[in-house]
Amino acid sequence: MDEQLDSPLPNHRTHHLIEEKLIEEKRRRIDLSIKTYYSKMALPSQKLRDAVGYSLEAGGKRIRALLCLAGFEMFAGKYEEIEPFLVALECIHTYSLIHDDLPAMDDSNMRRGKPSNHKRFGEAMAILAGDALLTDAFALMSRSSLPAEKVLLAIQCLSVAAGSGGMVGGQALDMTMDPAS
């Protein structure tokens, strides 16, 4: 019974390739949204602009934004409606990576095969780049075209997840753990 059935449906491998192509197209669209957002950021100095761009446009899988987009699309949402949130998620993730690499945290000198932000731009500028990304992410979400009550709820949820009850709290726990354990 090794005969292949004549089926109008694509086989599993074809489905996988189609899914990979769709994901890559969405990732490219998210990258373009990030690039567009970054080009419009009002940054007061070129050094801060360079530090923000260095990490924000360093690439990555964009998993958070892709998951957010997939969930939104399940309910027939349009990309333009969720775009500010996709970029904001990546800004917050990038901020967390910049701060996590700092000497006072995990003291990582490399990120994605390149010198970490603080190694390239100095500790102070890395902190400011992370701060700008985090703060501007919430401003970006607040400008969404979605109904105000939904935007407010999303901002509240994300601020809790990123703040002391979530990511920052987890980092604080990590900092207090005994390295020997």
Side-chain angles (χ1 to χ4, degrees), residues 78-133:
K78 294 178 177 69
Y79 183 88
E80 294 73 23
E81 295 173 315
I82 197 69
E83 183 179 29
F85 294 93
L86 304 177
V87 175
L89 281 169
E90 290 302 319
C91 287
I92 292 169
H93 176 60
T94 302
Y95 132 80
S96 75
L97 297 176
I98 292 172
H99 281 205
D100 192 52
D101 288 342
L102 290 166
M105 300 293 204
D106 286 348
D107 196 15
S108 298
N109 293 330
M110 300 293 287
R111 170 69 59 187
R112 295 181 177 139
K114 295 171 27 180
S116 56
N117 198 294
H118 73 276
K119 284 296 181 185
R120 177 83 188 267
F121 298 98
E123 282 184 56
M125 198 54 63
I127 291 168
L128 293 172
D131 291 350
L133 286 165

Side-chain angles (χ1 to χ4, degrees), residues 1-115:
M1 273 288 166
D2 286 338
E3 295 176 27
Q4 186 170 348
L5 298 174
D6 289 333
S7 170
L9 299 175
N11 64 32
H12 175 72
R13 177 147 170 72
T14 304
H15 277 295
H16 184 69
L17 292 173
I18 291 169
E19 289 170 1
E20 282 183 11
K21 185 177 179 185
L22 288 173
I23 290 170
E24 187 54 37
E25 286 173 14
K26 290 177 186 208
R27 185 180 292 117
R28 278 196 298 270
R29 189 165 185 193
I30 291 166
D31 281 338
L32 180 60
S33 295
I34 290 168
K35 197 175 275 284
T36 300
Y37 161 74
Y38 167 68
S39 72
K40 295 177 182 178
M41 281 181 82
L43 296 166
S45 78
Q46 188 59 46
K47 189 167 183 180
L48 180 58
R49 175 170 291 287
D50 292 345
V52 167
Y54 179 78
S55 293
L56 187 60
E57 294 185 343
K61 298 177 289 292
R62 308 295 189 208
I63 295 295
R64 289 145 199 85
L66 286 168
L67 287 172
C68 179
L69 179 58
F72 193 72
E73 287 177 338
M74 284 189 335
F75 298 100
K78 294 178 177 69
Y79 183 88
E80 294 73 23
E81 295 173 315
I82 197 69
E83 183 179 29
F85 294 93
L86 304 177
V87 175
L89 281 169
E90 290 302 319
C91 287
I92 292 169
H93 176 60
T94 302
Y95 132 80
S96 75
L97 297 176
I98 292 172
H99 281 205
D100 192 52
D101 288 342
L102 290 166
M105 300 293 204
D106 286 348
D107 196 15
S108 298
N109 293 330
M110 300 293 287
R111 170 69 59 187
R112 295 181 177 139
K114 295 171 27 180

